[in-house]
Amino acid sequence: MSWTDERIDQLKAMWERGLTASQIADELGGVSRNAVIGKAHRLGLQSRPSPVKANEVPKKAAPPLRKSATEAEAPKPAAPAQHAAPPPARPAAPAAPTPAPAAAAPAAEAPAAPQPRIISVGPGGFLRQGPGDQQAPIPPAPPRRLVPAKPSPEIAGKTTLLDLTERICKWPMGHPGEPDFHFCGEAVNPGFPYCVEHCGRAYQAQLPRGTRRPPPPLPFGGPRVR
DNA sequence: CCCTGATTCGC
DNA sequence: GCGAATCAGG
């Protein structure tokens, strides 16, 4: 599997949306988590909250057993005189304990990052935006009332999250949070998370905007091999 | 153990 | 450029 422009776009989008590398890899298919991370770095996409990065600046004297001591370069400041001069800390680590300016929740955020490309990821990754149909701000918390999850009559007979199995089409119907949100529930197209019909919708190529999408090519035989 | 992202380095 | 192997924190 190679990094086509489209896949790179999806990677960027999902990465910025805060999906984990595993999720992204899974969503794209054909690549490993490492591949995603590697690519993200090469692209210059940069570190969001990483578990292994709270601090740590310079400290590479005894790399366990790596094959090379690439950077054993401690820039000797050649500071003569000054006897008893205490190690002036590290020249490059002033007082900036919070290098992550945007470490907020990945959800309700709109940093206004210009993103002209069109991307289209299936409902699993939940991205469907483009210059034309950008998502509304999703602003004020809807005055919806949280209710003690009683089996409302609306979802009676519907496929809920708990009903999902590997053989059940997981295409979402409606939107999460809405009272009648449920899943398609049809038998899946074997090997895919959705039924044949929804596979057709999930994996179609992005049409040029303006084009009315005709009936999806139904006899699904599309891409994505896992 | 599982998960995460970061980094290195042979290809 | 790519990604497995490795590292390292939660």
Side-chain angles (χ1 to χ4, degrees):
Chain A
M1 210 41 104
S2 61
W3 286 108
T4 62
D5 277 5
E6 190 174 334
R7 288 163 63 78
I8 290 177
D9 262 354
Q10 294 177 350
L11 163 58
K12 283 182 184 172
M14 289 187 276
W15 184 267
E16 283 167 22
R17 287 204 51 180
L19 297 196
T20 67
S22 298
Q23 290 175 313
I24 296 172
D26 199 57
E27 203 66 49
L28 290 175
V31 286
S32 67
R33 180 181 74 92
N34 277 334
V36 167
I37 293 175
K39 184 59 180 175
H41 281 206
R42 260 171 263 125
L43 284 171
L45 299 183
Q46 222 144 347
S47 124
R48 287 165 291 110
S50 140
V52 183
K53 235 198 52 189
N55 38 49
E56 170 118 16
V57 189
K59 193 65 185 283
K60 291 284 176 81
L65 347 150
R66 225 73 263 295
K67 297 156 194 156
S68 71
T70 311
E71 76 300 3
E73 277 304 321
K76 280 180 190 173
Q82 273 1 19
H83 56 78
R90 229 59 222 177
T98 322
E109 262 300 56
Q115 212 164 8
R117 288 293 220 129
I118 337 178
I119 49 196
S120 171
V121 172
F126 240 63
L127 304 175
R128 245 162 233 279
Q129 32 182 309
D133 57 333
Q134 89 235 36
Q135 57 197 70
I138 318 182
R144 186 172 290 128
R145 244 182 168 290
L146 292 182
V147 118
K150 59 183 170 195
S152 69
E154 278 89 340
I155 59 171
K158 304 285 180 57
T159 302
T160 74
L161 187 59
L162 298 179
D163 296 318
L164 295 180
T165 75
E166 268 186 297
R167 297 175 217 73
I168 299 281
C169 176
K170 301 170 185 61
W171 188 271
M173 313 288 279
H175 298 88
E178 289 177 0
D180 61 339
F181 174 67
H182 61 284
F183 296 89
C184 166
E186 283 296 315
V188 297
N189 185 13
F192 296 86
Y194 312 118
C195 65
V196 172
E197 178 186 349
H198 287 137
C199 274
R201 297 187 51 180
Y203 304 126
Q204 66 187 285
Q206 180 79 24
L207 300 169
R209 255 176 307 127
T211 318
R212 271 313 84 189
R213 66 182 63 180
L218 239 248
F220 177 73
R224 169 174 282 218
V225 242
R226 278 207 196 209

